[in-house]
Amino acid sequence: MGIAALVTWLLTAAGGFYLLATWIAKGGVRQPRNSHFPPAVIFGHFVLAVIGLVVWIVYLVVDEDALAWTAFVLLVPVALLGFAMLIRWIPVYRAAGVGAGNGGSSAPGTAPNGVPEKHFPVAAVAGHGTFAVVTVVLVLLTALGVG
């Protein structure tokens, strides 16, 4: 189960890295006022997830239960930050969809052209979130000694 958690964590990380790269490329860092995601939230989510992944890999190598629990504890704020970003992304996605239906003009209620997260593909967001939930569950089950 620990290896399955590693695989899902790596898949989650790949999706997250893609979303981060998209956010940066579309101006998330250069124009943070246009984004619904504060850079501290984005980079905090990223850094905590990477630290947790490193701790998880060390856990798999040395098989020390405290490291499994440490990785899980690190995943809790990662998951909370991710959920907060999802909640802030949904209105941007909906508004961008409204704008797409009117030829891309900036109608009332549409996401401004400069919002970097409006460029996130739904499949990438859904895949990242799904693999993240599976990862949290697998890490918890492994830490509990199930399976």
Side-chain angles (χ1 to χ4, degrees):
M1 192 169 312
I3 297 299
L6 175 63
V7 170
T8 60
W9 204 325
L10 291 171
L11 290 169
T12 304
F17 186 74
Y18 171 77
L19 293 169
L20 175 63
T22 300
W23 184 79
I24 290 170
K26 298 301 180 181
V29 175
R30 291 186 311 273
Q31 301 170 347
R33 286 180 280 148
N34 290 348
S35 177
H36 290 82
F37 301 157
V41 172
I42 294 276
F43 291 111
H45 178 76
F46 172 75
V47 168
L48 286 172
V50 169
I51 292 169
L53 177 58
V54 170
V55 169
W56 189 253
I57 291 169
V58 173
Y59 159 72
L60 292 175
V61 171
V62 300
D63 195 27
E64 179 62 42
D65 289 344
L67 291 172
W69 284 107
T70 301
F72 177 74
V73 167
L74 286 166
L75 277 178
V76 171
V78 171
L80 292 173
L81 288 170
F83 186 71
M85 287 187 286
L86 174 66
I87 295 302
R88 294 184 81 153
W89 174 79
I90 290 172
V92 172
Y93 165 72
R94 287 183 178 162
V98 169
N102 63 14
S105 67
S106 186
T110 64
N113 288 334
V115 178
E117 52 274 9
K118 83 172 189 174
H119 300 281
F120 291 170
V122 175
V125 173
H128 179 67
T130 301
F131 281 117
V133 169
V134 172
T135 300
V136 171
V137 170
L138 289 174
V139 167
L140 176 61
L141 291 174
T142 302
L144 290 170
V146 176

